[in-house]
Every structure is written in C-alpha cells, then in structure tokens.
Amino acid sequence: MERTPAACAMDWSIQLQKDLRSDIPGKSIDALQEIGRRLQRWNKDPKLTFAEHTMFGLFPEEDKLFLNAILLCLADAFSSGDKHTKECVVRIFMKIKRRGNRDAEGIFSKEMFENQLELLTRVKEVFDEGDTEERALSLRLFGCWAYFAKDCPDVRYIVLSSLVTGDVLEVKAAYFAAGCLSETSDDFAVVFLEMLRTTVSSQESSEDIKLAAGRAFAKLWCSFSIAENAYKLGLKLLMDSSEDDFSATMLISLSKIASRWMLLVPTQFELLTLFQSEDRSLRMQVTSLRCFRLLLAREVCIVPSNASTVHRVFGILHRSELQPTLQLESLRLLYKILLINFSIIPCMEIPELFQKLFVVVKNMLKSSVQSNRVFAVNVLADLSGKVLGRQDMWSGGSGCTLASQVISFILDQVISLVTPLIGNNMADFAVEFEVKSLLKTLF
C-alpha cells in the first residue's frame, strides 16, 4: 500500500530542514516549492485512522508532531530568509487558502496546529522590523492563518492599523488579511465594515484602495446580520458609483455574499437583471451574467422562476449585433440554467425550447470567434443527449419529434459548412473541426 502524506511527514520534515540549510544555489527555493505541493496533497487526505497508524508503524499523533515541525520550519524560513524566500513561503499558504481550506478541516485545523503562538511571533517580528514589502507579506500570512490569528490581539491591531497607512501595497495586503479575519470573527467584521464604509466614501481614497475595499466586502458573510449589513452598504455604494471598475468589483462581491445566504438571493437576482439591459456598458452586462453563474454554481435557488430567467437570457441572445463576449457569457448562463432544470421541464415544452436554442446556435455559428462556434455546438450536443435520455420524452411521443428536429438542424448546418469547401480541400481547419463536432451529435 502506498504511504500516505501523514506517513511521510517525518521524511518530509527532515528533508526540508536539510534542503533549507543547503549551500547549493536554488536548493532552498526548490525545497519550499516541493513542500508546498506536498502540503496541498496532504490537506486533501482524511485524518489517519488507528488502523492506518498501525499499518505504517506510526505512534499516536506522530503525523501531527512532524506537521508542526514542518510549519515551524517554514515560519523560520520566512523570518530569516531573503524576500524571495519570504514570497515562496507566503505563496504556499495562499494557494492552500485559495483552494477553500476550512478551519475545522484538513491539516490546518486547530486540532492539528499546536505551535500557533510561535508561528505568529516569527511573522510579527518580520512585520515590526521589515520594509513595506515584508510588512505586506506578513499581513498576507496573517490572513492565511486567520482561523487562529483571529484570537491574537496583536494581530488584530496590526491588521486594523495597517488599513490606514499611506502605502498602497501594505493597505491592499491589510484588506486581504482583514477580510480573512472577518470570515472567522463577527466582532472583528463589525469593526472592519465601518472602516470599509469610511474608506469607500472618502474622496481621498485612491482607486486601488477602493477596489481592494470592494473586494473585501465579499468576505463579510460569517453571520446573517453581518452579511445583511454589508450587503445593504455595498448595494448603496454600487448604485452611487459611476465607475465601471468599482461597480463590477462590488457586483461580484455582493453576489458572493448573496451566495452564502438564501434570503439575499431574490434582491441580488433583481440587481443583476438591472445590469443586463442594453443601456449598461458591455463590461457590466458581462459581469452580471458571470455573477448569475456564480449563484448557480453554489446551487442557490434562483428567484423568480427559472422560466422567466430563461426567457430573459434568450432575449439577450436575440439582440442584433451582440458582442461576442456578451454572446458567449449569455449562452454559458443559459446552458447552466437548462442543465439544472431539464429534469423538471415538462416534456411537451422542450421541442419549443429547442426551436429557440436552434436559432441561438445558428447565430453563434456565424461568429468570427472559433471558440464561440465550437461551444455552441457542444451545448447543443450535450443538451440534446441529456433530454433525449429522458424516458418520459419517448413515452409521451415528444422524443421522436425532438430527435427529428435536432437531426434536421445538424444536417442543414453540415451541408452549409461543407458545400463552400468542395474544391477547396477543406483547408479551413476550424470549419473542419466544427463539422466533426456537429457529426458527433448525430451518433
């Protein structure tokens, strides 16, 4: 049986310490990158059972012992290493943070972490003695370790005071850290929300700072009261803004808050529909569609009914001279909604729905963007297969009708694509690829 990461912890710890002391150029950096990959792998594994401890010859909590040795080694490398080394250490924990590690799960749970104070002390020393870049790196580490750093008064003070310093790099890192702390602490989130209100409303705040503040709103969801207050403030700031960069950032943050709490979804739904109108900028229309897919990705119920949503998206796709980017995002949203709801759409309504889909796909096959054309074909092929696989489609007699419609549509498109290429040896690889994709739908 292959040794699990927990069973390899002792070897990894010894090897890391050896490599970090090496005089070979680049050896320490390679070691940090390797331990980063190993920790990511370990973080995905379930906790070892007693039987597994016995099987690998480990004494109780041996894996925890060497995990803490590895983490202390990384903290020492951050404390004593050059800036490149510090950046590598931060990158390890940033990657794990981005992969959605939760406080009570994985190798970074409180149960596994025993040297919390030692880790924070080493990083605090770098913050106190370092330059702007080193302080920013320290703040990002505090953010990555928010699940235990939130209980340290010194860290809270450092993060909050850094929000009002003059250096953009440090302030942006502080917003990241404050957002992470807000995900784990209600009382910290209350204070942070008031600071966000002041920052975004201030005429003296730079654009970079306002954008960082806007992104931080997405972290204010740990309790419904915090989420509701943050949502209301963010909504007001969004509606008062005339800047697309800030508006797009806030729209994404509000969608992320709403995705955490079902009660906020109806309001967010209506907000997103406001930004899908033609009088909005292309960027805001595309952002609203992407936010809609974000809600769907979290499997959040959409209100009002999905039928009205589908109708609205079809309306966007039927606009004349639709921008390729907006066209693609609209089809992606339609595809996501239909995938979720095809199992409950009455079989008698599906042929009519596909007639509308045929029009959309036909229009996209005229696009100058190859990826849009291929995606349209894939959508039609996938949805056709899923619908025709429904037993009630055939028992109700709609299956044959839909199959005939799909086959007729595909044959028409194959003929229209192939005919101009006769005598031209099918030199256009992109068109040839589309022909093959369409033919796959037939079989």
Side-chain angles (χ1 to χ4, degrees):
M1 182 177 178
E2 182 182 358
R3 286 166 62 83
T4 65
C8 298
M10 181 175 69
D11 295 337
W12 289 355
S13 175
I14 294 171
Q15 187 64 47
L16 176 63
Q17 294 181 54
K18 177 183 176 182
D19 290 343
L20 289 178
R21 291 195 299 266
S22 174
D23 294 329
I24 301 174
K27 186 68 173 179
S28 61
I29 300 300
D30 291 341
L32 290 173
Q33 293 172 347
E34 179 62 25
I35 198 64
R37 289 189 287 269
R38 287 171 169 175
L39 289 176
Q40 290 174 47
R41 177 187 160 201
W42 191 355
N43 196 46
K44 297 175 184 177
D45 278 12
K47 184 180 178 181
L48 284 185
T49 63
F50 177 79
E52 288 172 321
H53 272 91
T54 303
M55 181 185 302
F56 295 116
L58 305 177
F59 60 80
E61 298 194 341
E62 179 180 335
D63 53 337
K64 183 196 296 189
L65 174 67
F66 287 105
L67 170 64
N68 281 270
I70 290 172
L71 296 177
L72 276 176
C73 191
L74 291 175
D76 286 335
F78 181 82
S79 176
S80 59
D82 57 19
K83 284 186 181 178
H84 191 192
T85 299
K86 288 179 169 61
E87 289 170 356
C88 287
V89 173
V90 172
R91 198 173 296 122
I92 289 172
F93 293 99
M94 288 290 288
K95 285 182 178 179
I96 294 172
K97 178 71 176 176
R98 281 197 294 269
R99 281 162 174 74
N101 182 60
R102 304 291 298 174
D103 300 357
E105 301 172 353
I107 59 175
F108 296 99
S109 64
K110 287 186 176 181
E111 180 184 356
M112 295 291 285
F113 244 157
E114 290 188 340
N115 299 314
Q116 301 170 6
L117 183 58
E118 289 88 340
L119 296 177
L120 295 176
T121 298
R122 285 161 172 75
V123 177
K124 184 177 179 299
E125 289 173 355
V126 175
F127 180 88
D128 291 339
E129 300 171 6
D131 58 19
T132 298
E133 291 181 33
E134 290 171 329
R135 289 197 299 274
L137 289 170
S138 300
L139 286 164
R140 293 195 177 275
L141 264 188
F142 287 142
C144 293
W145 295 342
Y147 37 90
F148 61 85
K150 65 181 175 63
D151 298 322
C152 179
D154 286 346
V155 171
R156 285 173 169 245
Y157 175 78
I158 287 172
V159 171
L160 290 175
S161 60
S162 296
L163 290 171
V164 293
T165 61
D167 187 86
V168 174
L169 184 64
E170 184 176 340
V171 173
K172 289 170 71 173
Y175 272 112
F176 168 79
C180 295
L181 290 170
S182 296
E183 288 182 303
T184 62
S185 172
D186 272 11
D187 59 334
F188 186 92
V190 170
V191 176
F192 183 44
L193 180 58
E194 288 306 310
M195 296 187 73
L196 285 175
R197 185 195 305 272
T198 302
T199 299
V200 178
S201 302
S202 173
Q203 298 293 328
E204 298 178 0
S205 299
S206 67
E207 183 179 355
D208 283 344
I209 298 301
K210 286 186 177 181
L211 289 177
R215 286 189 290 270
F217 267 88
K219 304 284 190 178
L220 296 167
W221 56 266
C222 57
S223 67
F224 182 72
S225 60
I226 294 293
E228 186 178 34
N229 290 335
Y231 187 90
K232 288 179 179 178
L233 174 58
L235 181 60
K236 181 180 184 304
L237 295 171
L238 170 63
M239 302 310 289
D240 291 344
S241 173
S242 59
E243 298 292 330
D244 268 8
D245 285 346
F246 181 75
S247 296
T249 299
M250 284 306 307
L251 199 60
I252 294 170
S253 289
L254 292 177
S255 297
K256 288 181 177 179
I257 294 175
S259 72
R260 301 283 185 171
W261 295 97
M262 291 278 294
L263 292 175
L264 297 175
V265 171
T267 304
Q268 185 62 13
F269 178 91
E270 295 303 324
L271 176 65
L272 293 177
T273 59
L274 288 177
F275 287 92
Q276 291 169 12
S277 61
E278 293 185 75
D279 60 333
R280 298 289 183 174
S281 68
L282 174 62
R283 179 176 181 184
M284 293 309 300
Q285 291 181 64
V286 170
T287 300
S288 69
L289 291 170
R290 288 174 178 168
C291 288
F292 220 138
R293 288 200 293 123
L294 185 153
L295 293 177
L296 288 169
R298 292 286 181 92
E299 298 182 355
V300 178
C301 292
I302 299 300
V303 181
S305 71
N306 288 300
S308 64
T309 306
V310 170
H311 178 75
R312 183 177 287 109
V313 179
F314 269 125
I316 296 173
L317 286 163
H318 288 155
R319 291 179 193 168
S320 60
E321 299 181 359
L322 195 63
Q323 291 281 347
T325 304
L326 185 57
Q327 185 182 52
L328 179 61
E329 287 301 325
S330 299
L331 184 57
R332 281 176 172 166
L333 174 57
L334 179 64
Y335 178 47
K336 184 70 176 179
I337 295 173
L338 293 179
L339 275 180
I340 293 173
N341 293 283
F342 256 144
S343 61
I344 60 174
I345 297 176
C347 60
M348 298 304 295
E349 296 179 11
I350 290 179
E352 181 181 354
L353 184 63
F354 263 78
Q355 286 292 345
K356 296 179 181 179
L357 185 60
F358 292 151
V359 174
V360 169
V361 173
K362 187 175 181 179
N363 288 338
M364 286 199 71
L365 287 174
K366 299 175 184 176
S367 172
S368 59
V369 182
Q370 178 189 344
S371 58
N372 285 16
R373 300 194 300 267
V374 174
F375 180 68
V377 171
N378 289 336
V379 167
L380 180 59
D382 191 32
L383 294 180
S384 298
K386 283 180 168 53
V387 174
L388 291 173
R390 280 177 49 173
Q391 200 169 27
D392 61 339
M393 286 294 296
W394 298 99
S395 60
S398 300
C400 291
T401 302
L402 178 60
S404 299
Q405 290 176 334
V406 173
I407 291 172
S408 176
F409 176 82
I410 293 173
L411 286 174
D412 287 344
Q413 301 311 309
V414 169
I415 292 171
S416 66
L417 286 170
V418 173
T419 301
L421 295 173
I422 296 176
N424 195 32
N425 298 320
M426 296 190 72
D428 188 338
F429 175 78
V431 176
E432 179 183 358
F433 182 79
E434 289 169 37
V435 171
K436 291 178 180 178
S437 298
L438 286 165
L439 288 172
K440 285 182 181 178
T441 312
L442 283 171
F443 305 102

